[in-house]
Amino acid sequence: MIQYQISPLNPNSHLFEVLLSFKSTPSQNYTLTLPAWLPGSYMIRDFAKNITGICAVNSKNEAIELTKTDKQTWLIEASDEQVQVRYQVFAFDLSVRTAYLDSQRGFFNGSSTFLQVEELSEQPCQLSILPSTLSEHSQWRVATGLTRANGTEKYQFGQYTADNYQHLIDCPVAIGEFDSTEFTVEGVVHHLVFTSKHYGDTQQLAEDVSKLCQHHISLFGEAPFKEYWFITHLLANGFGGLEHKNSTILQAGRFDLPNPQQPTTQRSEDYRTFLSLCSHEYFHAWNVCRIKPKEFVPYNLKQESYTKQLWAFEGITSYYDDFSLFRTGIINFDEYLAIIAKNSTRVNRGVGELKQSITASSFDAWTKFYQQGPDAVNNIVSYYAKGAIIALWLDLTIRSKSNGQYSLDTLMRELWIHFGRTNIGTSEEDFINIASMLCGEDISSIFKQHLYSNKRIDLTAELANYGVELQQHKFKKLNSLETTSETNFHAYIGANYKAQPFGLMITQVLEKSPAAKAGLAVNDVLIALDEVKVTEQSIQAIVDHQPENSELTCHFFRDDQLLSSTITVIDSPLAGIAFKVVDDILVKHWQDIIPNG
């Protein structure tokens, strides 16, 4: 086995120490490298920048020269039958992607922590996770999806194994004095781990998440793992997740968990959002971790791996993350319609989808989506959000054309059987061909139009088949996706913002909006409108007291320079999307289809 050992070297300095040992052939060259990115997060991260103090010795403790050939690669020539490499990793990124260590907790993804020996990448790996030597860390435990070995018990420091390097880096590890809860679904033990202080009702959470897990397992027909780990970093504010084959790393706000002082039927919006995140990452265990585009078989983690299919792997997953909340009874149908209406509004309010197709969005994820500039809302479309709209179209289309015999569930099971189990990568033609087969007719033309054109998708007819009316509404207030069916004047300036200690920082300016015509730009700090100081409350009150087409003076800081302009307050465009149930009988045909039905 390739031997790895990791231990908290200095929590206050945020340093892990890693020891890599492997048997070698004298005079043979070996290549040590670290990935440039990790699956599920499509951006070059350059993890090797956090490696410090790297050195190597042989079995006699004699130094071996390391030659760095690029930003993430070292060459080494073995001098005898053993190589031992020692290095430190600076761990100060409390995201879901890299590594973190302080006196309260530790965490690492293997992709940012463990050097690969390229010539031995398919050999089994053994990882020894050692505890901190500090007495205040005596209660620390370990949470990971890695296989426990040599008598190591669950949650214990000790030895863990992986089939190969890819398996090793696919199992993130959390250490600390964390809270944990377990539940079982279809014989699979699931773990809920929280790495910092919280006040949530973990039993209620386990009950709700178990419903979502049951939904996904039933949909695909089986669980492709023996256990599963939900590892959550709780912060003052946070949101995000990253999928792995038998685990996920999540980030959430400290008060997003269910409040034990509230009735279990009163799930807050923040809690429902967290459940949707859990659902999303768990669904990924099938859709992208195993069913994946052909460009990812195998992964090339040295450089970008381009694919036009992220609309399917993130979009379809985004469709099911909320749909499963409805199917399991966590939310009702009206609440579900409100969620998908909000997603549709997010896409419809800007002109990005009129400039970029969903396949182009997938292909350009590395730069345009993961490194969004201030112009993003006007020039790109999210393959998550519009991908979910395409998934909805696909689900309703398959249901209608098959007379309710099949649905998107069927398509996903077919993909699982033919591509997930077999580890054969998909092409977009596979989605189109299976969908056409289930529809009983060739739908490739309209399907490709949705994928490759820069046009909006009108679901009016598809929704009407299931008793739901698509409506276009005004925005109810500034800086919100909330819509209203009222036809009276609703003030609009076309900018989003967030509160600052003094003023409002502009975060988005929609193309051709009053804010754009006034010359406002992202990162400007608006301080006054109509010579009145603005806050989140006062700006709404100011515009609500104006007649349509009022011209108001605005003052704002750009960097440290005070500027002024004139902004015209207009009536809200009909850019908000809402869904209304108009036929309860038809809606039943949508609601009644369950994953294994």
Side-chain angles (χ1 to χ4, degrees), residues 219-220 291 316 320 394 398 406-417 430-436 438 447:
L219 191 152
F220 287 102
I291 309 168
I316 292 176
Y320 275 108
L394 191 56
I398 294 173
Y406 305 119
S407 70
L408 186 58
D409 298 342
T410 322
L411 186 147
M412 295 311 298
R413 283 196 292 271
E414 289 294 314
L415 289 170
W416 169 245
I417 293 168
D430 295 317
F431 289 88
I432 295 171
N433 292 339
I434 295 173
S436 294
L438 297 177
F447 203 152

Side-chain angles (χ1 to χ4, degrees), residues 21 48 77 127 140 143 176 221 317 335 370 378 423 476 489 501 525 562 568:
S21 304
E77 181 180 349
L127 172 63
W140 279 24
T317 302
E335 290 170 328
Y370 267 86
N378 298 314
N423 196 34
K476 187 173 184 178
F489 174 70
V525 178
L562 180 63
T568 302

Side-chain angles (χ1 to χ4, degrees), residues 175-277:
I175 60 174
E177 194 172 346
F178 50 72
D179 179 37
S180 61
T181 301
E182 300 178 5
F183 62 87
T184 301
V185 177
E186 297 290 345
V188 177
V189 178
H190 295 68
H191 310 82
L192 296 171
V193 172
F194 303 97
T195 66
S196 63
K197 185 178 180 65
H198 72 86
Y199 303 89
D201 183 343
T202 55
Q203 291 305 313
Q204 177 63 41
L205 178 63
E207 180 180 331
D208 287 339
V209 175
S210 67
K211 296 176 183 177
L212 299 171
C213 295
Q214 180 67 70
H215 173 276
H216 294 347
I217 293 174
S218 297
L219 191 152
F220 287 102
E222 61 184 318
F225 37 76
K226 296 180 179 178
E227 61 179 22
Y228 193 90
W229 296 76
F230 293 92
I231 302 173
T232 304
H233 300 315
L234 293 169
L235 310 174
N237 294 288
F239 181 82
L242 187 65
E243 68 272 7
H244 299 274
K245 281 189 172 180
N246 73 341
S247 62
T248 179
I249 301 297
L250 307 170
Q251 189 182 82
R254 199 175 309 282
F255 298 100
D256 290 350
L257 304 187
N259 186 342
Q261 304 307 315
Q262 297 291 333
T264 57
T265 55
Q266 294 183 6
R267 299 179 177 91
S268 69
E269 183 177 354
D270 289 339
Y271 176 45
R272 294 198 303 266
T273 299
F274 179 67
L275 288 175
S276 177
L277 177 63

Side-chain angles (χ1 to χ4, degrees), residues 37-90:
W37 62 283
L38 76 166
S41 185
Y42 307 108
M43 176 178 167
I44 296 299
R45 302 286 176 182
D46 291 330
F47 299 123
K49 65 187 176 186
N50 292 318
I51 288 185
T52 63
I54 186 170
C55 60
V57 298
N58 62 17
S59 63
K60 301 175 184 177
N61 206 33
E62 298 169 337
I64 305 175
E65 183 179 0
L66 281 164
T67 303
K68 195 169 187 178
T69 60
D70 62 31
K71 61 184 177 180
Q72 62 206 32
T73 308
W74 292 259
L75 291 181
I76 189 170
E77 181 180 349
S79 57
D80 65 7
E81 296 178 348
Q82 183 74 27
V83 172
Q84 186 177 88
V85 182
R86 186 184 300 271
Y87 57 94
Q88 289 80 49
V89 177
F90 180 68

Side-chain angles (χ1 to χ4, degrees), residues 475 477-478 489-495 513-518 520 526 529-530 534 538-554 565-573:
F475 292 110
K477 55 186 178 180
L478 304 181
F489 174 70
H490 284 79
Y492 176 81
I493 62 172
S513 68
K517 292 176 180 178
L520 287 171
L526 184 65
L529 187 63
D530 198 29
V534 293
S538 70
I539 190 174
Q540 186 70 55
I542 292 169
V543 298
D544 283 346
H545 283 77
Q546 307 297 323
E548 187 176 356
N549 296 320
S550 297
E551 294 184 352
L552 305 178
T553 301
C554 59
S565 184
T566 300
I567 190 168
T568 302
V569 180
I570 66 172
D571 194 12
S572 171

Side-chain angles (χ1 to χ4, degrees), residues 163-465:
D163 297 337
N164 49 40
Y165 181 78
Q166 286 292 332
H167 183 196
L168 176 70
I169 65 173
D170 187 52
C171 296
V173 178
I175 60 174
E177 194 172 346
F178 50 72
D179 179 37
S180 61
T181 301
E182 300 178 5
F183 62 87
T184 301
V185 177
E186 297 290 345
V188 177
V189 178
H190 295 68
H191 310 82
L192 296 171
V193 172
F194 303 97
T195 66
S196 63
K197 185 178 180 65
H198 72 86
Y199 303 89
D201 183 343
T202 55
Q203 291 305 313
Q204 177 63 41
L205 178 63
E207 180 180 331
D208 287 339
V209 175
S210 67
K211 296 176 183 177
L212 299 171
C213 295
Q214 180 67 70
H215 173 276
H216 294 347
I217 293 174
S218 297
L219 191 152
F220 287 102
E222 61 184 318
F225 37 76
K226 296 180 179 178
E227 61 179 22
Y228 193 90
W229 296 76
F230 293 92
I231 302 173
T232 304
H233 300 315
L234 293 169
L235 310 174
N237 294 288
F239 181 82
L242 187 65
E243 68 272 7
H244 299 274
K245 281 189 172 180
N246 73 341
S247 62
T248 179
I249 301 297
L250 307 170
Q251 189 182 82
R254 199 175 309 282
F255 298 100
D256 290 350
L257 304 187
N259 186 342
Q261 304 307 315
Q262 297 291 333
T264 57
T265 55
Q266 294 183 6
R267 299 179 177 91
S268 69
E269 183 177 354
D270 289 339
Y271 176 45
R272 294 198 303 266
T273 299
F274 179 67
L275 288 175
S276 177
L277 177 63
C278 293
S279 175
H280 184 100
E281 303 305 335
Y282 192 72
F283 195 89
H284 270 320
W286 291 267
N287 194 39
V288 88
C289 284
R290 291 174 172 86
I291 309 168
K292 64 183 65 173
K294 61 183 180 181
E295 295 86 355
F296 291 173
V297 183
Y299 286 113
N300 178 2
L301 300 181
K302 290 185 176 182
Q303 61 189 41
E304 297 91 340
S305 293
Y306 297 97
T307 178
K308 295 180 180 180
Q309 298 181 62
L310 293 182
W311 65 267
F313 294 98
E314 292 296 351
I316 292 176
T317 302
S318 295
Y319 173 64
Y320 275 108
D321 60 22
D322 289 314
F323 194 27
S324 60
L325 264 66
F326 161 65
R327 280 176 153 176
T328 55
I330 292 173
I331 60 176
N332 61 39
F333 193 64
D334 287 337
E335 290 170 328
Y336 172 63
L337 289 181
I339 290 172
I340 61 174
K342 187 175 182 179
N343 179 68
S344 299
T345 298
R346 188 175 284 111
V347 175
N348 192 66
R349 65 175 173 168
V351 295
E353 71 168 333
L354 303 179
K355 298 179 180 179
Q356 185 188 49
S357 69
I358 196 72
T359 47
S361 176
S362 299
F363 192 84
D364 290 334
W366 300 89
T367 53
K368 293 191 175 184
F369 188 80
Y370 267 86
Q371 301 183 66
Q372 293 185 22
D375 63 335
V377 69
N378 298 314
N379 291 299
I380 71 172
V381 64
S382 166
Y383 52 79
Y384 285 82
K386 190 168 182 178
I389 294 173
I390 291 177
L392 173 58
W393 165 79
L394 191 56
D395 194 10
L396 297 180
T397 298
I398 294 173
R399 292 169 187 261
S400 294
K401 292 186 179 296
S402 70
N403 293 317
Q405 185 176 0
Y406 305 119
S407 70
L408 186 58
D409 298 342
T410 322
L411 186 147
M412 295 311 298
R413 283 196 292 271
E414 289 294 314
L415 289 170
W416 169 245
I417 293 168
H418 298 291
F419 297 93
R421 287 178 182 170
T422 59
N423 196 34
I424 297 173
T426 64
S427 68
E428 66 184 45
E429 294 295 332
D430 295 317
F431 289 88
I432 295 171
N433 292 339
I434 295 173
S436 294
M437 178 189 69
L438 297 177
C439 289
E441 64 181 78
D442 184 1
I443 65 167
S444 59
S445 178
I446 184 64
F447 203 152
K448 288 182 179 179
Q449 180 179 323
H450 290 333
L451 297 181
Y452 282 92
S453 73
N454 303 339
K455 296 181 180 179
R456 300 196 189 277
I457 298 176
D458 184 359
L459 295 180
T460 301
E462 287 82 1
L463 288 164
N465 289 335

Side-chain angles (χ1 to χ4, degrees), residues 338 341-342 345 469-478 480-492 540 544 570-580:
K342 187 175 182 179
T345 298
E469 181 178 272
L470 187 151
Q471 302 176 337
Q472 291 185 294
H473 288 173
K474 295 180 180 181
F475 292 110
K476 187 173 184 178
K477 55 186 178 180
L478 304 181
S480 172
L481 294 178
E482 187 179 355
T483 65
T484 177
S485 60
E486 297 174 357
T487 59
N488 56 302
F489 174 70
H490 284 79
Y492 176 81
Q540 186 70 55
D544 283 346
I570 66 172
D571 194 12
S572 171
L574 295 173
I577 302 297
F579 300 125
K580 179 182 178 180

